[in-house]
Amino acid sequence: MTEYAKYLAPIADVVFKKIFGDHPHLLKSFLNSILPLEEGREIVELTYLPPEIVPDIPGFRRTIADVLCTDPEGRKFIVEMQTTWEDKFKPRLVFETSKVVSRQLKVGEDYCLLQPVYGLGLIGQSFDGDKDKWYHHYKLTDTQKSPHQSLDYVHLIFVEIPKVPLATRDMKKLGILWLRFMREVNENTKYVSPDLLAVPEISEAVKLTEAIAYTPGELRYYESYWGEISVLNTLINGSAARGKAEGKAEGKAEGKAEGKAEGKAEGLMEGELKAQRAIALKMRARSIPLEEIIEVTGLSQKDIENLE
């Protein structure tokens, strides 16, 4: 029988859903501390929206996209937890957030009824090269105005959880504590920081990460979740490294005959293609869904089927 740690990581989907998908008061505290809301316009109440209108993100099997809620003002909030980073996550959040904006109005309704939509992407890996920049806020802005003027309809926020500092003047203290909770609590945690337990909402969330709060089925799912994440990371990172090495080797060989620049470029492309095919074959062998293989490798369905 598997021996589970006392705490489970809140960035895993089954844990994240239990905390923020079932407890609106915890989600309200979290969003008020994280989102760039104007003073005096904090969220006072949240209502979860039906699952059937939650944005569907094909290929992101391990993306949490079922936390979609609204407040009495009509503002919509999408919260997604992306354990592993892929560059395609940014445009997908743009697309899905835009869909929520467009679904607000019925045919013939006035556009002035539109309310802001906030898309919050919590990222379990670092993706930006700036070691000091971990909070990324995007919105529609008139770049020719000084100070800039903005349209308050779409806000996209990406947070790199591993880079969250212990303290910063640029964010509310409660926000830092919530993000520290997301980063620090996991299977290796023996003692939770008193700073976190001093906040009633975070203390309650900590309780919801305790393994004893989960059924045997949920614990098995949790274990398989990290197993799949580990496999995907190994495949992607290992194949990317091999692809670069093969690309450089082939590029140098072709460069002698056709020119170094062209040979290196073509070699890199061919090496990358071989790497993606290798990933696809290994993912198929593990019965990973076809749409997820397409998303990870960038290959077409026909290309993947031809590999078999």
Side-chain angles (χ1 to χ4, degrees):
M1 182 176 178
T2 302
E3 182 179 351
Y4 292 97
K6 179 178 180 180
Y7 299 104
L8 305 181
I11 64 173
D13 54 2
V14 65
V15 185
F16 190 96
K17 290 175 184 177
K18 186 179 286 288
I19 297 171
F20 298 112
D22 296 334
H23 301 84
H25 65 291
L26 299 183
L27 181 60
K28 181 183 74 171
S29 172
F30 182 73
L31 293 182
N32 276 334
S33 68
I34 300 298
L35 295 179
L37 302 174
E38 296 177 9
E39 187 175 350
R41 293 198 63 196
E42 290 83 3
I43 302 167
V44 295
E45 183 182 344
L46 282 175
T47 303
Y48 294 112
L49 295 173
E52 61 268 20
I53 67 171
V54 171
D56 177 34
I57 304 185
F60 279 82
R61 187 177 173 192
R62 292 306 188 182
T63 296
I64 296 172
D66 64 346
V67 180
L68 173 62
C69 52
T70 187
D71 72 352
E73 291 187 31
R75 296 177 296 182
K76 303 292 188 298
F77 306 92
I78 304 170
V79 186
E80 298 178 359
M81 180 73 231
Q82 183 72 18
T83 308
T84 56
W85 173 254
E86 294 184 67
D87 290 337
K88 294 179 181 179
F89 184 66
K90 275 187 179 180
R92 284 206 179 272
L93 188 57
V94 172
F95 178 67
E96 299 302 334
T97 304
S98 300
K99 285 203 300 186
V100 175
V101 173
S102 66
R103 289 172 180 171
Q104 291 185 54
L105 300 182
K106 297 178 182 178
V107 176
E109 286 190 321
D110 197 311
Y111 292 112
C112 68
L113 297 176
L114 283 176
Q115 294 296 322
V117 176
Y118 292 81
L120 173 60
L122 301 165
I123 316 300
Q125 290 182 340
S126 298
F127 63 86
D128 186 274
D130 188 339
K131 63 181 180 62
D132 296 320
K133 188 174 182 181
W134 54 273
Y135 188 94
H136 311 269
H137 178 202
Y138 300 88
K139 58 183 178 179
L140 300 173
T141 302
D142 185 344
T143 59
Q144 295 183 340
K145 290 285 187 178
S146 183
H148 295 327
Q149 294 182 358
S150 302
L151 297 177
D152 193 38
Y153 296 114
V154 178
H155 293 260
L156 298 174
I157 300 94
F158 298 89
V159 178
E160 299 177 73
I161 292 176
K163 290 161 64 175
V164 175
L166 294 178
T168 176
R169 295 180 180 179
D170 299 328
M171 192 172 192
K172 299 174 185 176
K173 180 181 178 181
L174 180 58
I176 292 296
L177 291 174
W178 266 117
L179 292 173
R180 280 184 54 198
F181 158 73
M182 299 291 292
R183 186 184 67 181
E184 294 176 11
V185 177
N186 53 52
E187 302 86 348
N188 299 319
T189 300
K190 302 299 182 184
Y191 303 99
V192 178
S193 170
D195 292 343
L196 302 182
L197 296 176
V199 180
E201 292 88 352
I202 298 180
S203 179
E204 183 179 349
V206 169
K207 285 284 186 183
L208 292 170
T209 67
E210 293 182 0
I212 196 172
Y214 295 79
T215 66
E218 288 174 327
L219 291 172
R220 286 193 296 272
Y221 178 80
Y222 177 86
E223 192 173 62
S224 69
Y225 168 86
W226 287 116
E228 184 173 329
I229 292 296
S230 178
V231 168
L232 289 175
N233 279 333
T234 300
L235 289 172
I236 293 171
N237 295 333
S239 295
R242 287 194 301 274
K244 288 182 180 179
E246 291 177 10
K248 288 181 179 179
E250 293 184 22
K252 288 180 179 179
E254 293 182 20
K256 291 180 180 179
E258 301 177 10
K260 292 183 178 180
E262 289 185 11
K264 186 175 181 180
E266 291 178 9
L268 284 169
M269 291 176 63
E270 183 62 28
E272 183 66 23
L273 182 59
K274 288 182 179 179
Q276 298 308 322
R277 287 171 177 166
I279 292 175
L281 285 172
K282 290 179 181 179
M283 294 178 76
R284 280 301 254 180
R286 289 174 170 79
S287 300
I288 294 175
L290 180 61
E291 63 271 15
E292 188 164 341
I293 300 176
I294 293 172
E295 186 66 39
V296 169
T297 64
L299 299 175
S300 68
Q301 179 175 342
K302 184 177 180 180
D303 289 338
I304 294 170
E305 290 173 347
N306 287 340
L307 292 176
E308 299 176 351

